[in-house]
Amino acid sequence: MTESKGALRKAALLDAAEEVLVTKGNANAAMRDFAAAAGVRIGHLQHYFPARADLIRAVLERSLERSLTRLNEGTGLNLGAGAAAGLTRDDSRRLLTALLHEHSSLEGVKMHLEIWALAAADQQAASALRSFYAQYAAHVAGVVRRGRPGLPEPELQGVAAAIVSLFEGAAVTRSDIGGLRTEGSDEAIIRAAQWLIHGQ
């Protein structure tokens, strides 16, 4: 099935927004800069994304969707809401290894750092970022629920938030920016996350 012209235009606008965030940074993240990078008028951009926060939210949502698709395809695990119960330690190791790989893209790290910087000064961008992390944590909670089905909901949410924090922090410290990536550190991150998922 081919994508509609509107969907293709929207994707091109999101590609341009990512490019601006990665190469020029949040200082050049005004709507006119995103429009110029996409080669369109500001009115065209605002037809799809009325405000900068709408554009940032869409960039983050697409990033999460792409990551989930790659994780599903790369691990053979169904990470969706209707996934079967049960998650073996081999399953979680495969998933966590793939997730670490997802967090190894310097361009992805740069984009998220720029959005963080933008969100620090812009409440609407901060709202978009919180929405992204809420969705991310909800997916992780689904994985934890499969590993520890009897875990009470408040503890489940806490464990999911801890795993998200572990991997998001690792994305920065393991990148070329932080320089702390070693085989031993990756193994320690996976073991820590497995302990959180399986409770042992």
Side-chain angles (χ1 to χ4, degrees):
M1 174 183 279
T2 58
E3 290 185 89
S4 70
K5 285 184 182 178
L8 291 171
R9 287 185 187 126
K10 194 172 178 180
L13 293 172
L14 293 175
D15 289 343
E18 286 184 12
E19 182 70 17
V20 168
L21 288 166
V22 170
T23 61
K24 297 181 181 177
N26 79 79
N28 292 310
M31 291 298 272
R32 69 179 171 277
D33 300 300
F34 293 129
V40 300
R41 293 187 310 270
I42 242 181
H44 180 82
L45 176 63
Q46 290 178 318
H47 171 74
Y48 292 96
F49 308 104
R52 183 172 63 176
D54 299 315
L55 181 60
I56 296 300
R57 183 173 283 106
V59 164
L60 289 167
E61 285 174 356
R62 185 173 76 159
S63 172
L64 184 60
E65 286 169 13
R66 286 176 165 178
S67 180
L68 287 169
T69 298
R70 286 190 297 265
L71 288 170
N72 276 323
E73 291 172 356
T75 64
L77 297 170
N78 178 4
L79 302 175
L87 188 75
T88 68
R89 289 188 74 80
D90 285 344
D91 289 340
S92 65
R93 173 167 283 281
R94 204 162 66 248
L95 173 60
L96 294 166
T97 300
L99 189 55
L100 264 185
H101 179 73
E102 280 291 305
H103 284 71
S104 296
S105 159
L106 185 56
E107 289 74 24
V109 170
K110 284 182 180 178
M111 184 185 75
H112 283 268
L113 287 175
E114 293 298 338
I115 291 173
W116 266 91
L118 183 61
D122 182 323
Q123 279 304 309
Q124 290 184 331
S127 175
L129 191 61
R130 285 191 295 271
S131 175
F132 165 78
Y133 281 116
Q135 291 175 57
Y136 181 2
H139 286 290
V140 173
V143 171
V144 175
R145 191 176 285 114
R146 289 171 64 185
R148 297 169 74 179
L151 199 62
E153 192 64 25
E155 193 174 345
L156 174 72
Q157 296 304 321
V159 168
I163 292 171
V164 170
S165 299
L166 176 65
F167 277 80
E168 287 296 288
V172 176
T173 59
R174 292 172 67 252
S175 72
D176 290 344
I177 298 167
L180 291 181
R181 183 179 183 181
T182 68
E183 191 175 310
S185 67
D186 283 3
E187 180 58 29
I189 291 167
I190 290 169
R191 281 198 316 268
Q194 278 192 301
W195 185 87
L196 288 165
I197 290 171
H198 299 285
Q200 51 188 349

